[in-house]
């Protein structure tokens, strides 16, 4: 097992803190690290794609789980895979796709680990029909504070606390997953432009049930009658028989093409004002008004930014704040008001995506709730950003909505209980399971989890 002292951040590169990093290569080494973690505790960490401080632990230890990356068994008939928590979704796709299976849920990056996917209970473009990641977990092995390895299954309090629990109930060591059957590595994609936010919401309500995957990019620089204009993209896996003859010969090939390298740091002058507005105008006008059945590779549809080097640095040296919230059906006016406030403030928001959520998962701290979710990136150095986002938090909480904790880096703790009604249950189980605080993170201390 390797050990070093490192300064760590989330993907947004805000609030770096220093910790002792352990890289266990066996379950026994992981258990020994947890038992000897010291007063500042420990937290598991995967590939570092959480945007905030959920996988940091100032002055304590961090367990880098990426060396525990075995795919143990694959049931090719049932689409069931047993793997270590350090296996990435990228690796699973490479192995499973030739066998005719695809990961059940993927976020906008495939470079997350299975343990991280469960700990954050990640969601993807198919949340409205498939739910979040934990719905597809049949069981998991959890290393608890006392060094015991427990088998945890859905329907138990420990599973509900662990799914979306951000690593605070223990270290996920392995998981058994159910995957999605596919017969090709291609997507059939329908794209259309909407004129404003109401137009987008109407189209999502009317047609989302016909698609497995759906998401919309929103131009948050547009104002007036164009507020909330968007590009709506929806897709389905293409069956082998529907592919062109040449492609049909190798229907399950997987190739992720790298994108041209971006500069390591974008000059601050290009992050706001006219350049951002021009970029959004070109992106909106460059999208088709209405196009159906375009063939796209899996990587292009699901993970278009994974091939972009330095993708986390586009908002300058101070880093990026990823802000994502959800509000329920019937709270559309709150969503409209927040979109108007962002556009009127001329925020240089990027990667703004709106999706329609279906049923939430069992996780007590899982993010999805039936309704709407909007996610966007903002430069951390933007003047007045903290106060502005605090005011948005209050609107979200007042509407019975919530902020995504896996992406959070600045939420005020007093709003947490209003956003997550099972918070008291989570804290109570943690106190019983881990009375000495073996599992801690910067996020858990900041929010008193």
């Amino acid at each position: 097992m390797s050990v070093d002292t490192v300064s760590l951040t989330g993907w947004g590169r805000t609030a770096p803190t220093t910790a002792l990093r352990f890289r266990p290569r066996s379950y026994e080494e992981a258990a020994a690290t947890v038992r000897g973690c010291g007063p500042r505790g420990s937290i598991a960490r995967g590939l570092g794609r959480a945007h905030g401080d959920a996988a940091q632990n100032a002055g304590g230890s961090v367990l880098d789980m990426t060396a525990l990356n075995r795919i143990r068994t694959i049931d090719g008939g049932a689409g069931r895979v047993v793997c270590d928590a350090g296996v990435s979704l990228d690796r699973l796709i490479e192995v499973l796709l030739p066998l005719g299976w695809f990961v059940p849920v993927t976020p906008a990056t495939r470079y997350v680990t299975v343990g991280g996917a469960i700990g954050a209970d990640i969601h993807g473009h198919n949340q409205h029909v498939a739910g979040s990641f934990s719905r597809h977990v049949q069981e998991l092995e959890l290393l608890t504070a006392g060094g015991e390895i427990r088998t945890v299954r859905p329907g138990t309090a420990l599973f509900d606390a662990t799914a979306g629990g951000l690593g605070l109930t223990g270290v996920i060591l392995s998981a058994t997953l159910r995957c999605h059957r596919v017969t090709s590595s291609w997507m059939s994609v329908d794209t259309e432009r909407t004129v404003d936010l109401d137009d987008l919401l109407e189209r999502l309500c009317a047609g989302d049930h016909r698609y497995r995957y759906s998401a919309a990019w929103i131009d948050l620089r547009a104002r007036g009658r164009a507020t909330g204009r968007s590009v709506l993209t929806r897709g389905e896996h293409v069956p082998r028989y529907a592919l062109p003859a040449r492609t049909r010969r190798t229907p399950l090939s997987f190739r992720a093409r790298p994108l041209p390298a971006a500069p390591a740091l974008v000059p601050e002058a290009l992050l706001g004002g006219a350049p951002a507005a021009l970029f959004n105008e070109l992106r909106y006008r460059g999208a088709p008004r209405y196009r159906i059945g375009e063939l796209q590779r899996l990587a292009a549809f699901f993970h278009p930014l994974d091939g972009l080097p330095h993708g986390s640095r586009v908002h300058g040296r101070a880093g990026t704040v990823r802000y994502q919230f959800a509000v329920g059906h019937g709270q559309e006016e709150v969503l409209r008001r927040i979109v108007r406030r962002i556009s009127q403030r001329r925020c240089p928001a990027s990667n703004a995506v709106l999706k329609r959520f279906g049923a939430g998962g069992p996780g007590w701290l899982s993010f999805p709730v039936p309704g709407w979710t909007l996610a966007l990136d903002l430069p951390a150095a933007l003047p007045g950003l903290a106060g502005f986002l605090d005011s948005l938090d209050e609107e979200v909480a007042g509407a019975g909505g919530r902020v995504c904790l896996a992406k959070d880096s600045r939420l005020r703790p007093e709003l947490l209980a209003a956003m997550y009604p099972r918070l008291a249950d989570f804290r109570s189980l943690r106190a019983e399971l881990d009375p000495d605080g073996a599992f801690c993170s910067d996020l858990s201390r900041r929010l008193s989890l």
Side-chain angles (χ1 to χ4, degrees):
M1 176 167 59
S2 62
V3 184
D4 59 356
T5 300
V6 291
S7 178
L8 296 171
T9 70
W11 190 243
R13 300 185 307 107
T14 59
T17 57
T18 300
L20 196 62
R21 179 174 60 185
F22 294 86
R23 197 164 189 256
R25 298 184 179 276
S26 68
Y27 293 176
E28 293 75 17
E29 289 184 349
T33 301
V34 169
R35 285 193 295 265
C37 63
R40 295 289 287 182
S42 188
I43 195 72
R45 182 181 177 95
L47 291 169
R49 291 300 180 106
H51 283 78
D53 53 2
Q56 299 169 224
N57 186 21
S61 61
V62 168
L63 271 70
D64 181 333
M65 300 295 290
T66 55
L68 293 171
N69 58 2
R70 297 171 299 164
I71 297 178
R72 298 189 193 177
T73 63
I74 298 174
D75 183 338
R80 186 166 51 247
V81 58
V82 182
C83 64
D84 286 345
V87 173
S88 69
L89 298 192
D90 178 61
R91 178 63 178 153
L92 281 183
I93 293 171
E94 286 183 345
V95 171
L96 293 173
L97 199 55
L99 303 177
W101 296 97
F102 189 61
V103 292
V105 171
T106 177
T109 174
R110 62 186 182 275
Y111 296 113
V112 298
T113 61
V114 168
I118 298 170
D121 199 15
I122 61 170
H123 59 272
H125 291 355
N126 60 343
Q127 199 284 333
H128 62 293
V129 295
S132 50
F133 197 87
S134 65
R135 185 185 292 186
H136 308 274
V137 177
Q138 291 187 319
E139 68 176 33
L140 58 88
E141 290 182 297
L142 185 73
L143 173 63
T144 62
E148 176 191 5
I149 297 176
R150 297 176 60 172
T151 299
V152 184
R153 296 185 177 88
T156 63
L158 185 52
F159 185 91
D160 295 348
T162 301
L166 304 167
L168 297 172
T169 61
V171 179
I172 299 169
L173 297 175
S174 71
T176 302
L177 312 174
R178 294 186 304 270
C179 299
H180 178 64
R181 168 71 79 180
V182 296
T183 57
S184 85
S185 60
W186 292 84
M187 303 296 295
S188 175
V189 182
D190 295 352
T191 305
E192 53 191 308
R193 292 197 321 226
T194 73
V195 298
D196 58 20
L197 182 59
D198 285 341
D199 185 21
L200 171 61
L201 299 184
E202 289 173 9
R203 296 193 196 201
L204 286 170
C205 286
D208 248 21
H209 64 281
R210 299 195 300 269
Y211 296 87
R212 186 171 183 84
Y213 304 98
S214 175
W217 169 79
I218 294 189
D219 179 5
L220 291 177
R221 300 283 297 185
R223 293 190 291 180
R225 296 175 61 184
T227 299
R229 68 179 183 178
S230 65
V231 179
L232 174 58
T233 305
R234 298 186 280 200
E236 288 285 353
H237 295 279
V238 180
R240 182 181 183 276
Y241 67 80
L243 292 173
R246 184 188 308 176
T247 307
R248 209 177 301 152
R249 291 195 289 267
T250 55
L252 292 167
S253 64
F254 175 68
R255 184 172 66 219
R257 296 176 177 174
L259 298 174
L265 287 172
V266 176
E268 303 288 342
L270 299 182
L271 298 177
L278 176 61
F279 174 82
N280 282 11
E281 182 72 24
L282 292 173
R283 181 169 180 176
Y284 180 77
R285 297 294 176 188
R289 290 182 182 273
Y290 184 72
R291 180 175 63 199
I292 62 172
E294 180 192 11
L295 282 180
Q296 289 186 13
R297 292 187 178 274
L298 283 172
F301 180 77
F302 290 107
H303 313 119
L305 298 181
D306 270 351
L308 184 64
H310 310 305
S312 67
R313 303 184 182 184
V314 297
H315 278 134
R317 297 184 184 278
T320 299
V321 172
R322 182 71 170 171
Y323 186 69
Q324 182 167 13
F325 69 91
V327 292
H329 294 299
Q331 297 295 334
E332 286 78 10
E333 186 51 43
V334 175
L335 176 63
R336 293 186 187 98
R337 188 161 58 245
I338 290 176
V339 169
R340 283 196 300 269
R341 290 185 60 188
I342 294 171
S343 64
Q344 289 168 359
R345 199 174 188 269
R346 308 300 283 163
C347 292
S350 60
N351 295 327
V353 176
L354 186 137
K355 289 180 283 196
R356 185 168 175 263
F357 273 167
W364 293 341
L365 297 186
S366 292
F367 170 63
V369 290
W372 309 98
T373 180
L374 176 64
L376 58 144
D377 288 342
L378 292 162
L382 191 66
L385 179 62
F388 178 65
L389 292 183
D390 284 347
S391 69
L392 297 189
D393 291 342
E394 291 170 1
E395 286 211 52
V396 170
R402 57 186 54 173
V403 165
C404 181
L405 297 183
K407 299 175 182 177
D408 175 59
S409 58
R410 27 71 44 207
L411 179 67
R412 299 202 320 268
E414 58 266 26
L415 293 176
L416 196 59
M419 294 182 174
Y420 289 89
R422 301 298 299 271
L423 177 63
D425 294 327
F426 180 82
R427 285 172 169 161
S428 177
L429 186 142
R430 272 204 75 205
E432 177 185 343
L433 193 66
D434 182 13
D436 297 323
F439 299 113
C440 291
S441 66
D442 290 355
L443 179 142
S444 73
R445 280 187 285 267
R446 177 168 57 84
L447 296 179
S448 300
L449 288 173

